[in-house]
Amino acid sequence: MTARAYVRQTLETGWRTVFRVGWPRTDKDRSAAMISSFFLHVHSAKVKPNSLRAAYTFGLGLISFYMLLVLTVTGVALMLYYTPSPDAAYRSMKDLQFVVTFGPVLRNMHRWAAHAMVVAVFLHMCRVFFTGGYKLPRQFNWVVGVGLLIMTLGLSFTGYLLPWDQLAFWAITVGSNIAGYAPGVGESAKYLLLGGTVIGSGALLRFYVLHCVILPVAVVTLVAVHFFRVRKDGLSAPPGRAPATTAEAAKGGFPPSARSYGLMALADRPAQPVVESDPDEEVMAWPHLLYRELLLLLAVVVALHVVALLFNAPLEELANPTRTPNPAKAPWYFLGLQELVHYSAFIGGVLVPGLIVLALVLVPYLDPSPRGVGVWFSPERRRANWIFGVFAVVTIVLTLIGTLFRGPNWAWVWPWTG
Amino acid sequence: MKTPKPPEAGASKESTRRRFLLTTGTTTVVAGVVGFLGATARFLFPNVLYEPPSRFPVGGPDDFPTGSPTFLPNQRLFVFNSDAGFYSISSICTHLGCNVNHVASGGFACPCHGSQFDANGQVIHGPAPRPLAWFGLSLSSRGELVVDQRRIVEPDYRFKV
Ligand code: HEM
Ligand code: FES
């Protein structure tokens, strides 16, 4: 064997130890590649064409995930220049903004992606609701989703304190005092969150650890569960190809996996099909799903870069515990609640959010009928859609009021009067 | 002739032992987990707080002009010098902790959610659930007024020097 042939062969076999099937050129190889790759096997080998329609999911779950990816990468980068202590935190932010190469872009991206993730997760939840995606057999994945929503807000809230500017200090003052209103446990909960009675170095360190370790690990774990269930249950899809809700599944038995075939699906169809829909009606996930995902990732990353280059994340003056800005506002996604807090801290801060979370968790169990899955605003689910629609609109309107229409002393202002 | 032990007896003896081990094992594990969670919860409550003291001198009686209030931003309170004596009112809004401002009419207004308080710190309007706190005063050996934030007093409190 010539030396050249030897090198070539070694490289090729080496490559094969990493990617077992090489670059796939046939559908069969593509299926094998999807199944043998750790990262790709979150997908099934074939997907229902209707579940690929952009106007069905609007890619919102994926967008939420991509935001999480961007936040992880930029967040780890920011950690290298950030010191979580009241004396140093603000200086770190100034360094990031004026001294660190690419610091402003990273900080802006982290901030805007965080806001975008809250929006994307909320819209994704609305999409799932209005298409009946929480129904049999996906009830529990909806509950996992509610956990993800809460953690997304928690991540955003804990991140809010870290710059240690006026905005951060007072938003967290208002936010953490709300915890104090919870009956019975409120004061202890606040003490626990702040690691003391005032917002100082203890609170900053706790928020930092929550923001950079505890919550990210929890979110990643829940996302893994969430994706696993989506993979096992298949994505709900527009009718004609909606997953069968078998009698067995209805009885609470283990729902047959809609994706329980792999390479077999490509061989001759078995006499007794293991899936309810004809595999031939489905399309290969590679390229149809994979390329769409990559394209969306590209779009998200490009959009975030554009926004981060055009708009600077705000940084106000150093936190000053003796001077309250007027008005002092919580982060925008809590301003709907702050609007209610303006009437009663207990109602807005504890009762309403508590009831919202409870109601969201119970959604799939309060609405057990398996009908109307896979269509936006199915007429079979008129009442449920109305209830959720009103909830979503009220949430948005209250948030807009709190954000745009409230000025000094929380008095009503028109946004255009400056 | 010895009758052999019926198989059930052996089985039941074994199953009692099994039950015993299972119960003891499960109980130990559950107790361990509960204990661990309890210890973790306790761990999260700090024993020592490196926070500003709640009892501190604020200056000599002559530093406070009669009539108008003196706002001490670092301590987040007002000191009043009235004919009847000194008194001190917290500037921390009882709603969600913003600093209230003293207003010309004699009361207080909170910038955050619009709570209003009268000159005694009683709630007139808005979401604040409780009146502003009144702090007890004393005189230090150096002749300075000392505020004790742990000592909450009634609004008729006046401290004569
Ligand atoms: C960090 C937050 C979240 C991420 C990254 C995420 C990601 C995803 C992805 C990628 C999908 C596949 C379909 C799609 O793209 O729409 C999906 C489906 C789903 N998500 Fe989420 N999600 C999140 C939060 C939520 C929330 C807040 C809910 C509801 C309360 C939820 C409930 C569901 C359900 C039930 C499905 C299956 C829907 C169907 O089959 O039609 N998820 N999620
Ligand atoms: S904090 Fe004063 S009114 Fe809310």
Side-chain angles (χ1 to χ4, degrees):
Chain A
M1 201 194 289
T2 64
R4 214 175 131 182
Y6 175 76
V7 169
R8 207 194 135 106
Q9 200 201 333
T10 313
L11 280 179
E12 229 177 77
T13 39
W15 172 266
R16 289 259 163 177
T17 64
V18 185
F19 302 100
R20 310 224 166 235
V21 270
W23 185 259
R25 291 179 202 287
T26 63
D27 277 357
K28 185 162 167 285
D29 283 354
R30 287 189 194 107
S31 294
M34 300 286 284
I35 289 159
S36 60
S37 155
F38 175 76
F39 293 103
L40 292 183
H41 90 283
V42 287
H43 307 89
S44 49
K46 286 182 145 196
V47 291
K48 292 173 235 139
N50 274 356
S51 69
L52 290 176
R53 287 211 313 243
Y56 183 59
T57 63
F58 290 98
L60 287 164
L62 272 182
I63 293 176
S64 311
F65 177 64
Y66 293 156
M67 293 301 168
L68 185 63
L69 281 187
V70 170
L71 285 164
T72 310
V73 173
T74 53
V76 168
L78 294 178
M79 281 175 81
L80 298 178
Y81 283 97
Y82 178 83
T83 315
S85 92
D87 299 329
Y90 186 72
R91 218 169 39 222
S92 317
M93 302 315 292
K94 284 286 181 201
D95 272 0
L96 279 166
Q97 210 166 11
F98 296 107
V99 181
V100 178
T101 309
F102 299 129
V105 189
L106 283 169
R107 188 169 100 82
N108 294 349
M109 266 226 263
H110 195 75
R111 176 70 69 103
W112 301 133
H115 288 333
M117 182 165 166
V118 173
V119 175
V121 170
F122 178 78
L123 292 179
H124 169 61
M125 176 175 78
C126 293
R127 185 296 277 177
V128 171
F129 191 95
F130 289 126
T131 58
Y134 58 86
K135 295 185 173 225
L136 185 97
R138 302 184 183 82
Q139 296 97 324
F140 183 67
N141 215 15
W142 168 271
V143 179
V144 172
V146 176
L148 281 170
L149 174 69
I150 295 169
M151 286 189 187
T152 304
L153 293 176
L155 268 171
S156 197
F157 184 69
T158 50
Y160 219 88
L161 182 63
L162 304 187
W164 205 254
D165 62 347
Q166 275 288 76
L167 196 64
F169 186 88
W170 290 100
I172 304 304
T173 300
V174 169
S176 60
N177 278 330
I178 286 178
Y181 277 88
V185 297
E187 279 307 318
S188 321
K190 189 181 149 198
Y191 189 78
L192 198 71
L193 184 67
L194 298 185
T197 56
V198 298
I199 297 188
S201 59
L204 182 54
L205 193 57
R206 281 187 182 214
F207 274 57
Y208 177 72
V209 173
L210 276 169
H211 186 74
C212 301
V213 183
I214 300 177
L215 288 172
V217 168
V219 163
V220 167
T221 311
L222 270 195
V223 164
V225 174
H226 198 60
F227 284 9
F228 185 75
R229 306 280 309 215
V230 171
R231 167 77 167 79
K232 288 291 160 184
D233 299 336
L235 198 68
S236 65
R241 297 170 181 89
T245 48
T246 61
E248 228 173 309
K251 272 194 255 126
F254 194 78
S257 168
R259 319 248 70 78
S260 58
Y261 56 89
L263 289 172
M264 298 96 74
L266 300 153
D268 276 345
R269 216 161 357 118
Q272 290 225 306
V274 284
V275 286
E276 73 296 327
S277 55
D278 186 345
D280 292 339
E281 280 180 12
E282 308 199 333
V283 296
M284 297 301 298
W286 183 337
H288 297 284
L289 175 57
L290 227 50
Y291 284 21
R292 281 173 169 83
E293 288 182 355
L294 284 177
L295 207 63
L296 189 59
L297 175 61
L298 202 63
V300 165
V301 169
V302 168
L304 280 175
H305 272 89
V306 170
V307 173
L309 289 170
L310 289 181
F311 303 99
N312 274 326
L315 184 65
E316 297 188 351
E317 68 267 28
L318 177 66
N320 179 356
T322 66
R323 203 180 59 71
T324 313
N326 190 352
K329 292 191 175 187
W332 63 267
Y333 38 84
F334 286 142
L335 287 182
L337 290 177
Q338 191 173 349
E339 178 64 18
L340 297 178
V341 159
H342 162 61
Y343 303 102
S344 150
F346 176 71
I347 293 180
V350 179
L351 192 67
V352 169
L355 287 179
I356 290 177
V357 169
L358 188 69
L360 284 177
V361 166
L362 290 179
V363 154
Y365 307 102
L366 294 175
D367 176 21
S369 127
R371 277 182 306 171
V373 178
V375 214
W376 276 83
F377 308 117
S378 157
E380 286 184 285
R381 322 179 40 238
R382 186 165 284 132
R383 198 167 43 146
N385 285 335
W386 266 105
I387 295 174
F388 194 84
V390 168
F391 159 74
V393 168
V394 168
T395 305
I396 293 169
V397 167
L398 283 178
T399 306
L400 284 178
I401 290 179
T403 310
L404 299 174
F405 293 85
R406 290 300 184 178
N409 300 322
W410 211 250
W412 186 272
V413 293
W414 298 104
W416 49 87
T417 54
Chain B
M1 195 185 123
K2 258 179 151 181
T3 42
K5 244 187 199 170
E8 298 85 52
S12 94
K13 194 170 163 198
E14 183 162 307
S15 86
T16 339
R17 185 164 71 217
R18 223 169 230 222
R19 274 253 298 281
F20 171 74
L21 288 175
L22 206 64
T23 315
T24 331
T26 315
T27 315
T28 316
V29 170
V30 169
V33 169
V34 169
F36 170 75
L37 290 180
T40 307
R42 178 62 192 83
F43 165 80
L44 291 173
F45 285 88
N47 294 329
V48 182
L49 297 182
Y50 299 95
E51 292 182 351
S54 56
R55 198 168 169 279
F56 41 81
V58 291
D62 298 336
D63 296 344
F64 301 96
T66 31
S68 64
T70 309
F71 177 51
L72 300 176
N74 292 320
Q75 287 84 1
R76 302 187 70 187
L77 51 81
F78 295 95
V79 177
F80 294 80
N81 182 357
S82 74
D83 297 336
F86 289 95
Y87 58 97
S88 170
I89 302 181
S90 167
S91 71
I92 300 175
C93 179
T94 54
H95 181 226
L96 292 174
C98 297
N99 273 332
V100 297
N101 299 312
H102 191 258
V103 290
S105 60
F108 305 89
C110 180
C112 287
H113 316 96
S115 286
Q116 287 168 24
F117 306 84
D118 69 10
N120 283 335
Q122 305 295 313
V123 182
I124 315 177
H125 177 75
R130 279 172 284 117
L132 299 173
W134 283 57
F135 300 130
L137 298 172
S138 57
L139 213 57
S140 74
S141 52
R142 288 222 208 119
E144 283 182 316
L145 273 180
V146 172
V147 175
D148 185 353
Q149 289 182 315
R150 295 246 181 85
R151 211 171 107 225
I152 302 298
V153 294
E154 292 300 313
D156 55 4
Y157 177 87
R158 297 292 182 275
F159 181 71
K160 277 275 185 205
V161 177

